[in-house]
Amino acid sequence: MVSQNVVVSDAKTGIITVSTVSNSSVFTPTAQKPPTAPGYISVSKKKLLKNLEINGADQSQRLNSWVDSMRASSPTHLKSLSSFSSEEEHNSWIKRHPSALNMFERIIEEARGKQIVMFLDYDGTLSPIVDDPDRAFMTSKMRRTVKKMAKCFPTSIVTGRCIDKVYSFVKLAELYYAGSHGMDIKGPTKGFSRYNKDKPSVLYQPAGDFLPMIDEVYKQLVEKTKSTPGAKVENNKFCLSVHFRCVDEKKWSELASKVRSVVKNYPTLKLSQGRKVFEIRPIIKWNKGKALEFLLESLGFENCNDVFPIYIGDDKTDEDAFKVYITNENCES
């Protein structure tokens, strides 16, 4: 697993946030009731085009801004001392990104007497970020570690990947899997049945109606990007990814225009950007944070004060999951 960092909030909330370098996940002692079945958000095509910055007189300027964002979308996990211009800069960076390992005893103390529930991202957390997403293999040592963890705590993989793909990497049947950014949830086929022994295996797909549209857009993106060397379109069942890690930087602007030219025709889909990847997802009231809440309820931990969820990830979608969970928790309290 990549180096982790921890930020401790005030004592009033009791919330601990954990992340890799610059992104946040969650340690929190209280689980709340998950939301009801997700509804759709009404979004006009005009508004969607504005959000995607694909229209208007300043299109060239906006495109340049988008490319700058693409360039910065895959920060390195580790910074060497030589990369800092001064000791003051180094100390400032350490203060903003403290090591979770240095605060391990504090984390253990916060979790004392509570049921720990683990939520793990996959890419960049359990496996390295690689040029070819089909080769993002986790090591045997990491697999053994996750297997041992699942024997001690309920453990879930929460990922943007489709479940079948991430399962082919992880190969552990005792885990919960929330694929497609939490829009495809399945429970384990073995282990930890004592937490939900009276309930059937978890199976929840809040974006099921979008499957035909996702398949249609996938085919269009494959056709549209085939002339861009290095571009790879991945069908994650309920969402799509367009990887540009292997695309020449000079072609990024062209690729961004191609992707947006397809997505703009589908006002119920949204386009966002991750670590050298474009993400296309349905606009529904559901994400990794909602999946976290749903899984906690499925495990029997709704409205429970003695549960300690731990969420570890490495990108903005994991940070958003933390924000959704904390926001809902504060609304319930």
Side-chain angles (χ1 to χ4, degrees):
M1 190 177 297
V2 294
S3 299
Q4 303 295 324
N5 307 289
V6 63
V7 179
V8 181
S9 70
D10 58 72
K12 183 178 179 180
T13 63
I15 297 169
I16 300 179
T17 304
V18 173
S19 67
T20 57
V21 180
S22 61
N23 303 286
S24 300
S25 310
V26 60
F27 283 73
T28 173
T30 306
Q32 297 295 334
K33 184 177 180 179
T36 56
Y40 296 94
I41 301 175
S42 177
V43 181
S44 69
K45 187 172 182 179
K46 181 178 179 181
K47 182 177 180 181
L48 183 67
L49 295 180
K50 181 179 179 180
N51 290 340
L52 294 179
E53 298 182 336
I54 60 177
N55 62 342
D58 297 329
Q59 183 175 357
S60 177
Q61 181 179 352
R62 289 169 176 168
L63 187 58
N64 288 337
S65 176
W66 188 264
V67 172
D68 287 340
S69 177
M70 292 168 69
R71 188 175 293 114
S73 67
S74 187
T76 56
H77 283 285
L78 301 175
K79 291 177 72 70
S80 64
L81 289 174
S82 61
S83 66
F84 297 101
S85 60
S86 66
E87 182 177 353
E88 182 179 354
E89 182 184 354
H90 173 256
N91 291 337
S92 175
W93 191 89
I94 291 297
K95 185 177 181 179
R96 287 181 286 111
H97 305 94
S99 171
L101 295 178
N102 292 339
M103 304 187 72
F104 189 72
E105 294 302 322
R106 171 69 181 275
I107 296 171
I108 294 299
E109 184 61 30
E110 292 285 343
R112 194 177 305 279
K114 300 180 176 70
Q115 171 62 57
I116 292 175
V117 183
M118 296 297 303
F119 298 92
L120 306 171
D121 180 36
Y122 184 76
D123 293 279
T125 302
L126 299 181
S127 74
I129 297 295
V130 295
D131 290 341
D132 183 354
D134 289 334
R135 300 189 62 79
F137 304 120
M138 66 189 302
T139 64
S140 297
K141 182 177 181 180
M142 179 62 75
R143 184 175 293 103
R144 289 195 297 271
T145 299
V146 175
K147 187 177 181 68
K148 290 179 182 178
M149 182 186 302
K151 289 181 178 179
C152 300
F153 319 114
T155 302
S156 303
I157 306 295
V158 185
T159 176
R161 300 265 198 165
C162 71
I163 285 182
D164 291 342
K165 172 63 73 173
V166 78
Y167 184 82
S168 71
F169 290 145
V170 180
K171 300 176 181 178
L172 294 176
E174 55 266 51
L175 307 183
Y176 289 82
Y177 290 87
S180 300
H181 291 282
M183 290 181 284
D184 191 10
I185 301 175
K186 292 182 180 179
T189 56
K190 67 177 183 179
F192 272 102
S193 58
R194 65 180 181 274
Y195 289 102
N196 59 350
K197 59 184 179 180
D198 297 327
K199 299 180 180 180
S201 180
V202 177
L203 177 59
Y204 191 51
Q205 298 176 333
D209 292 343
F210 283 87
L211 277 177
M213 182 185 296
I214 292 295
D215 289 338
E216 181 179 310
V217 174
Y218 170 72
K219 293 174 183 177
Q220 291 185 35
L221 285 172
V222 169
E223 182 64 26
K224 200 79 172 180
T225 63
K226 68 180 183 181
S227 61
T228 304
K232 182 179 180 63
V233 184
E234 184 176 14
N235 190 335
N236 296 310
K237 191 171 183 177
F238 294 103
C239 58
L240 302 169
S241 299
V242 181
H243 301 271
F244 58 89
R245 184 170 297 276
C246 296
V247 175
D248 189 316
E249 189 170 332
K250 296 177 181 178
K251 296 286 187 179
W252 287 2
S253 174
E254 175 186 316
L255 178 63
S257 295
K258 289 178 178 179
V259 173
R260 290 202 302 259
S261 71
V262 173
V263 179
K264 72 179 183 180
N265 297 316
Y266 296 87
T268 56
L269 297 180
K270 65 179 178 180
L271 172 63
S272 60
Q273 186 182 318
R275 300 177 63 189
K276 291 194 175 179
V277 62
F278 292 119
E279 302 278 4
I280 298 94
R281 285 179 267 169
I283 300 178
I284 63 171
K285 296 177 181 178
W286 197 264
N287 55 23
K288 286 183 176 181
K290 303 292 191 197
L292 184 153
E293 295 175 327
F294 178 85
L295 285 165
L296 285 173
E297 181 184 18
S298 298
L299 287 164
F301 295 134
E302 60 177 318
N303 300 320
C304 183
N305 294 320
D306 59 356
V307 63
F308 193 77
I310 299 176
Y311 192 117
I312 303 177
D314 77 318
D315 67 10
K316 191 176 185 302
T317 61
D318 303 304
E319 180 180 350
D320 290 343
F322 159 71
K323 290 177 180 177
V324 169
Y325 182 82
I326 296 304
T327 298
N328 288 343
E329 178 185 17
N330 291 338
C331 288
E332 293 284 344
S333 60

